Amino acid sequence: MVDEEPERRRRRRQWIHPIVAQRYRKGQFHSLYKDLRQDPFKFRSYCRMSVEAFDNLLSLLHPHLTFMDTCMRRSISAEQRLIVTLRFLATGNSFASLHFEFLLGISTISGIVCHTCKVIWQHLREAVMPTPKAEDWLRIAEGFYQSAQFPNCIGALDGKHIRVKKPPHSGSRYFNYKQYFSVVLMALADSNYRFVIVDIGAYGSSSDSRIFSASRMGDRLRDNQLALPEPRRLPGSAGPPAPFVIVADEGFALSPHMMRPFPRRDLDDRKRIFNYGLTRAHRYVECAFGILSTRWRVFLSSIQMNPDNATLVIQACVLLHNFTRINDASSDADIDQNITSSVIFDQSRTGRPGTAGLAVRDVYADYFCSPEGALSWQMEAIRGSR
């Protein structure tokens, strides 16, 4: 007699675990949420945004997070789905930990987080990170000139490695030079620490320059499809019109629309002054990454998801970062003070510059040394870099 084939899946012993069945009485959402709304400080600490910002966000996403009740069970409300997701992003706690807090199944929490992050990316993007137009670039350039005294600057560009769990059969593709597995968040930020354009999900082993060149952002910049304004003269200058530029670090290639520092070798005062001015503008994207990680602490440890779902989490956090900067900027005051307290003047890396942007970089370098563009403190600032 041939033995029957063993069951492939373990038969469920219970329809719902007795502990999970107490969700409506003891779950964190049902026992704590109403009380939190009465204390704005505690609510902000719990959800990383004010009550007003949360209500605004919920009103935008509610139709896409609402499901029907069935004869078998009640659906999880849009409010609870958003709270569970924000709590995951704000703490980085594992799904198993959230299971004991909210008394929801681990697989249920996983599905809620992934679905809510996808909804945030699909339905919040146009509101908080729309495709920039010519007037948007002009507004961004004015912001950089007022805050960093760098004219015609349309953004600060950099990449951030987001630690992830090693995907199976991935070899060393996700293993970066910092000796851990990651995907890359490539972002262009404005002077208000908001992200303007992002590219998410590149292999951690790739360099910033290669990621940018292969990204849609890089393609559009090369093909002049970013709707950039026409070149204009630098403020107070009688010289030729200068193109609008992105400021980046030494990891990117020099081009007419991409400025990087002069290499460390053979630096004179003119080059040091340009590097100082560029660094002051470039710090805004570094600070934006700092604010992002401080608010959404899922980035402080490895994201225990496959790369596709980790990308959804990063996308949601980027948009929530912009959303809180727009709707809840007052809550970022302490974070801004802690992160932007100093300017990092780093010229430790060198590399061969491109040739197409050399003339443009010289125009900016000459401007920063001219009476129209010089800062009263710049000579004092560069003395430490000699």
Side-chain angles (χ1 to χ4, degrees):
M1 182 176 182
V2 180
D3 293 337
E4 294 182 0
E5 183 178 351
E7 292 183 351
R8 292 180 179 272
R9 299 180 60 184
R10 186 179 62 180
R11 182 174 297 176
R12 180 177 293 195
R13 291 176 296 179
Q14 299 166 319
W15 174 249
I16 184 171
H17 195 280
I19 294 179
V20 176
Q22 303 179 66
R23 177 171 75 246
Y24 296 103
R25 291 189 299 109
K26 298 183 178 180
Q28 201 169 93
F29 175 79
H30 297 280
S31 63
L32 189 61
Y33 175 65
K34 291 183 179 179
D35 293 334
L36 283 174
R37 290 185 64 92
Q38 305 304 314
D39 190 324
F41 178 79
K42 292 293 186 183
F43 188 92
R44 177 177 285 115
S45 177
Y46 188 82
C47 291
R48 312 304 288 170
M49 63 180 66
S50 66
V51 177
E52 294 77 13
F54 175 83
D55 290 340
N56 188 11
L57 179 63
L58 181 63
S59 66
L60 293 172
L61 304 180
H62 190 278
H64 313 287
L65 297 177
T66 303
F67 294 83
M68 294 180 60
D69 294 336
T70 69
C71 60
M72 303 295 291
R73 65 180 70 188
R74 291 165 56 186
S75 64
I76 300 171
S77 67
E79 228 169 356
Q80 186 172 3
R81 287 173 176 272
L82 187 55
I83 286 288
V84 169
T85 302
L86 291 178
R87 194 61 185 157
F88 169 72
L89 300 179
T91 63
N93 288 351
S94 67
F95 293 151
S97 176
L98 295 174
H99 157 68
F100 290 108
E101 294 175 13
F102 291 95
L103 300 185
L104 292 165
I106 294 177
S107 60
T108 301
I109 290 176
S110 174
I112 287 174
V113 169
C114 292
H115 175 260
T116 305
C117 288
K118 186 176 182 179
V119 167
I120 289 172
W121 179 252
Q122 291 176 340
H123 301 283
L124 193 62
R125 183 178 181 182
E126 191 59 34
V128 301
M129 198 175 64
T131 301
K133 301 177 182 178
E135 54 269 26
D136 298 318
W137 294 124
L138 290 172
R139 175 184 52 80
I140 293 171
E142 181 62 24
F144 272 103
Y145 183 62
Q146 294 298 327
S147 59
Q149 292 75 52
F150 199 112
N152 287 17
C153 176
I154 57 170
L157 180 70
D158 206 354
K160 177 177 175 61
H161 288 271
I162 309 297
R163 192 186 296 262
V164 296
K165 178 179 68 174
K166 180 185 182 299
H169 314 297
S170 62
S172 61
R173 285 177 293 178
Y174 291 91
F175 195 69
N176 63 35
Y177 71 97
K178 299 181 180 181
Q179 307 299 305
Y180 60 81
F181 295 93
S182 67
V183 295
V184 178
L185 163 60
M186 183 70 61
L188 184 72
D190 65 15
S191 60
N192 291 316
Y193 311 109
R194 294 200 293 257
F195 298 115
V196 181
I197 303 176
V198 296
D199 181 83
I200 303 169
Y203 296 140
S205 61
S206 301
S207 66
D208 286 347
S209 181
R210 178 179 298 179
I211 294 171
F212 179 76
S213 297
S215 69
R216 186 165 177 261
M217 185 191 339
D219 289 338
R220 293 176 64 194
L221 182 64
R222 283 191 301 271
D223 298 337
N224 295 319
Q225 295 179 352
L226 285 180
L228 299 183
E230 291 297 319
R232 67 180 181 184
R233 286 189 175 92
L234 301 179
S237 172
F244 286 80
V245 297
I246 294 170
V247 295
D249 61 18
E250 300 89 337
F252 295 86
L254 185 68
S255 73
H257 291 291
M258 180 79 72
M259 293 292 99
R260 52 167 283 173
F262 285 100
R264 187 174 184 178
R265 61 186 182 276
D266 301 326
L267 284 177
D268 54 23
D269 284 349
R270 172 177 168 274
K271 294 179 179 179
R272 294 177 193 276
I273 289 171
F274 172 83
N275 286 3
Y276 173 70
L278 184 142
T279 303
R280 293 183 69 247
H282 184 259
R283 65 174 173 160
Y284 285 93
V285 66
E286 297 172 349
C287 293
F289 287 147
I291 296 171
L292 176 74
S293 298
T294 301
R295 181 180 292 278
W296 307 111
R297 300 196 172 189
V298 68
F299 295 126
L300 299 185
S301 59
S302 177
I303 300 178
Q304 299 298 304
M305 293 177 163
N306 64 52
D308 290 339
N309 289 337
T311 297
L312 288 176
V313 168
I314 300 167
Q315 290 173 337
C317 287
V318 165
L319 295 188
L320 290 173
H321 169 88
N322 279 11
F323 178 83
T324 54
R325 295 297 301 177
I326 296 170
N327 295 274
D328 205 17
S330 60
S331 66
D332 285 328
D334 293 338
I335 296 176
D336 292 354
Q337 291 174 3
N338 291 336
I339 292 176
T340 64
S341 57
S342 62
V343 178
I344 301 174
F345 188 36
D346 181 12
Q347 300 175 356
S348 59
R349 287 186 289 177
T350 62
R352 182 182 297 275
T355 57
L358 288 173
V360 175
R361 185 167 64 179
D362 285 337
V363 169
Y364 280 89
D366 292 338
Y367 174 76
F368 289 135
C369 292
S370 69
E372 295 79 16
L375 302 175
S376 59
W377 65 86
Q378 64 188 20
M379 292 304 298
E380 183 69 25
I382 68 170
R383 286 178 181 174
S385 63
R386 293 181 179 178

